[in-house]
Amino acid sequence: MAALSPRYQIGAALALAVVAVVACVHVGMVFLHVAPANTLTKAHGKAIDDWIYPEFEQNWKLFAPNPLQQDIAVQVRAEVQAKNGELRTTGWYDLSAEDGRAIDGNLLPSHTQQNELRRAWDFFVATHDSTNRSTGLRGTLSESYLRRVVMLRLDRDDASGKGGVIEQVQVRSRTTNVPPPKWSTEKISDKPMDRVLPWWPVTAADTDGGAE
């Protein structure tokens, strides 16, 4: 900066000051977002959320990370009406595994590959009980969102085949415990646990281009 004229030195100093202020504000907002509830977060929670969401969301708590101890795979199958009118049921498509393969070795995986399916399933689970019954006003919305996500994936996998039409879909999650490290004496079950949803009829709004 010493080589700049006084006018440009002032401009550069102001720019650095603005960057420093924004950086400090951002670090402070992230700290308050992940910190335990306190007076500041209770008083200014909305402002903190407006700053953080959706770009800077954190899903762990400060000083208390909670790594996943289960592998949750979201899978779907479809009932397809062939061109000749015959109905057939596809096998289970492991959508989580497809995302995993797309991310593996990818230096810049997309937000869709990392989070779309996971967030859709989390949204459904948060709005439904263990019997898959809606527990609030957002239950129908979460079902529609999940159904549209899996339909987009089935279309990408060409599940309907040439001339076929998907009539209904069924989603399930398959949960497997992450095995403990070799040095651990902990014993856990390695048997998968399935949560199977009912069959959902497919509407025009669930297909690509169906939603405005």
Side-chain angles (χ1 to χ4, degrees):
M1 289 180 60
L4 299 175
S5 65
R7 184 175 64 178
Y8 286 109
Q9 286 182 355
I10 293 173
L14 288 175
L16 288 174
V18 170
V19 170
V21 170
V22 172
C24 290
V25 170
H26 178 69
V27 171
M29 288 292 194
V30 173
F31 177 86
L32 291 173
H33 174 65
V34 300
N38 54 68
T39 304
L40 281 176
T41 56
K42 291 178 181 177
H44 305 289
K46 186 178 186 306
I48 295 170
D49 288 345
D50 289 343
W51 181 278
I52 293 295
Y53 293 106
E55 288 84 2
F56 308 117
E57 179 186 3
Q58 308 292 314
N59 61 0
W60 50 273
K61 298 300 181 182
L62 189 65
F63 308 129
N66 185 25
L68 292 176
Q69 297 183 345
Q70 293 178 321
D71 182 15
I72 302 176
V74 179
Q75 303 172 343
V76 63
R77 64 178 177 176
E79 184 180 82
V80 179
Q81 184 176 47
K83 194 173 182 179
N84 60 6
E86 180 183 351
L87 290 176
R88 64 178 177 86
T89 301
T90 69
W92 290 100
Y93 288 82
D94 194 333
L95 306 183
S96 296
E98 292 178 5
D99 282 351
R101 287 191 292 270
I103 293 170
D104 189 25
N106 187 346
L107 295 178
L108 296 172
S110 71
H111 179 75
T112 299
Q113 292 167 334
Q114 297 179 80
N115 297 314
E116 180 185 61
L117 180 65
R118 177 181 63 83
R119 294 297 298 272
W121 180 252
D122 288 347
F123 185 23
F124 177 86
V125 171
T127 55
H128 290 75
D129 61 20
S130 59
T131 62
N132 304 318
R133 296 173 58 183
S134 175
T135 58
L137 298 177
R138 298 195 301 166
T140 301
L141 176 62
S142 68
E143 290 179 14
S144 299
Y145 181 54
L146 179 60
R147 189 161 58 246
R148 181 162 174 76
V149 168
V150 300
M151 281 298 298
L152 289 171
R153 304 299 182 90
L154 288 172
D155 181 65
R156 185 180 66 188
D157 291 335
D158 195 25
S160 60
K162 187 176 181 180
V165 177
I166 295 178
E167 296 290 335
Q168 53 183 354
V169 294
Q170 186 176 40
V171 180
R172 76 176 180 187
S173 69
R174 171 154 287 187
T175 302
T176 307
N177 291 319
V178 175
K182 293 181 179 179
W183 48 260
S184 174
T185 58
E186 181 183 5
K187 302 295 183 181
I188 61 172
S189 172
D190 59 357
K191 183 179 179 180
M193 295 173 289
D194 292 341
R195 175 171 178 171
V196 183
L197 307 190
W199 283 95
W200 285 335
V202 174
T203 67
D206 302 322
T207 58
D208 189 18
E212 298 295 335

